[in-house]
Amino acid sequence: LLSKEDASAIVARYPRLYRAAWLREMRRKLGFPESKSARQARADGDLITALFNTMQATFADFTSTFRCLMPTTPADGEEMLARFAECGNPLPPPEVRAAALRMRASRIRPSEPKSILEQLSADGQAKSRVVRRLAQHDEADSLEQLAESSCSLTGDSQRSQDAVAWDTWLSAYAKHGTNQNALHRQMMVAANPRFVPRPWAVDAAAAAAQNGDFAPA
């Protein structure tokens, strides 16, 4: 058995090892070579974070995004949007986004009214828990505000915003790839599958198989 000290040392190393493995895989998915440079790791990490932010802002599918970035890289945001549509995962319209944002807000909003929590925040013993619950209220409020903003957009204006968002990221991606000398195309092909088993499809097939129906599988 491990001693408490040895176990603690292993656990303490986990975040660093996880981050290194995550960065290694994301580099493969984006065609960037490995590098031991801390400066390069920060630059790569910043670009990857910006990609995830763009995906979240435009409601882009994870797997489709990386397939759509396969060489040759899209020239601009409009081409990226066209590729999403061609692969069967077009970016959703404003009303679908608003509904998804409201659903997320309802899931995270605490059952206790915000006004009650604000009164309880003066209690020193409960303050830390109350502060967390108030933060959840704030996050839910932000999501609902985003939903309202989404509802105010037309399909064309939403598409224009999405194109600009992807323009911005693709420009940074192109510059980043140039600085690294070349995008590793074969690496991207190996790291980005065309098809992935969607959880709901797997669950549906498993449920049907339990009832003797193997057709979905």
Side-chain angles (χ1 to χ4, degrees), residues 37-77:
S37 164
R39 180 179 180 182
Q40 190 61 57
R42 287 192 296 271
D44 291 349
D46 289 345
L47 185 72
I48 294 164
T49 298
L51 171 60
F52 285 157
N53 289 340
T54 303
M55 292 166 62
Q56 180 176 0
T58 61
F59 284 71
D61 177 75
F62 183 90
T63 299
S64 298
T65 295
F66 289 98
R67 288 299 301 185
C68 291
L69 289 172
M70 296 286 287
T72 55
T73 306
D76 54 28

Side-chain angles (χ1 to χ4, degrees), residues 11 32 52 58 79 82 96 114 134 143 146-147 167 184 205:
V11 172
F32 295 148
F52 285 157
T58 61
E79 184 178 345
V96 173
K114 191 172 185 179
L134 284 171
L143 289 171
L146 288 173
D167 266 335
H184 292 191

Side-chain angles (χ1 to χ4, degrees), residues 41-171:
R42 287 192 296 271
D44 291 349
D46 289 345
L47 185 72
I48 294 164
T49 298
L51 171 60
F52 285 157
N53 289 340
T54 303
M55 292 166 62
Q56 180 176 0
T58 61
F59 284 71
D61 177 75
F62 183 90
T63 299
S64 298
T65 295
F66 289 98
R67 288 299 301 185
C68 291
L69 289 172
M70 296 286 287
T72 55
T73 306
D76 54 28
E78 281 293 343
E79 184 178 345
M80 186 69 176
L81 302 191
R83 289 194 183 186
F84 279 125
E86 289 169 4
C87 74
N89 277 304
L91 300 184
E95 61 272 16
V96 173
R97 302 183 191 199
L101 289 166
R102 290 192 179 104
M103 183 176 295
R104 284 167 54 190
S106 68
R107 285 201 299 265
I108 66 173
R109 187 178 294 284
S111 57
E112 307 91 349
K114 191 172 185 179
S115 58
I116 299 298
L117 291 172
E118 288 172 340
Q119 294 174 22
L120 292 173
S121 63
D123 184 342
Q125 292 183 338
K127 186 172 182 179
S128 62
R129 294 193 299 272
V130 171
V131 167
R132 287 197 297 271
R133 305 292 276 178
L134 284 171
Q136 290 175 317
H137 267 296
D138 291 341
E139 184 179 357
D141 289 342
S142 296
L143 289 171
E144 290 183 352
Q145 290 172 6
L146 288 173
E148 290 300 320
S149 297
S150 187
C151 281
S152 68
L153 296 174
T154 64
D156 288 342
S157 59
Q158 181 70 77
R159 181 181 179 86
S160 178
Q161 285 189 11
D162 291 343
V164 169
W166 282 106
D167 266 335
T168 301
W169 188 84
L170 287 167
S171 295

Side-chain angles (χ1 to χ4, degrees), residues 11-53:
V11 172
R13 291 199 303 270
Y14 179 79
R16 177 178 56 82
L17 295 174
Y18 178 88
R19 174 70 182 182
W22 175 85
L23 181 59
R24 184 167 56 251
E25 181 61 21
M26 292 307 303
R27 281 171 164 167
R28 291 178 64 241
K29 292 179 78 64
L30 289 171
F32 295 148
E34 282 295 318
S35 172
K36 295 182 179 179
S37 164
R39 180 179 180 182
Q40 190 61 57
R42 287 192 296 271
D44 291 349
D46 289 345
L47 185 72
I48 294 164
T49 298
L51 171 60
F52 285 157
N53 289 340

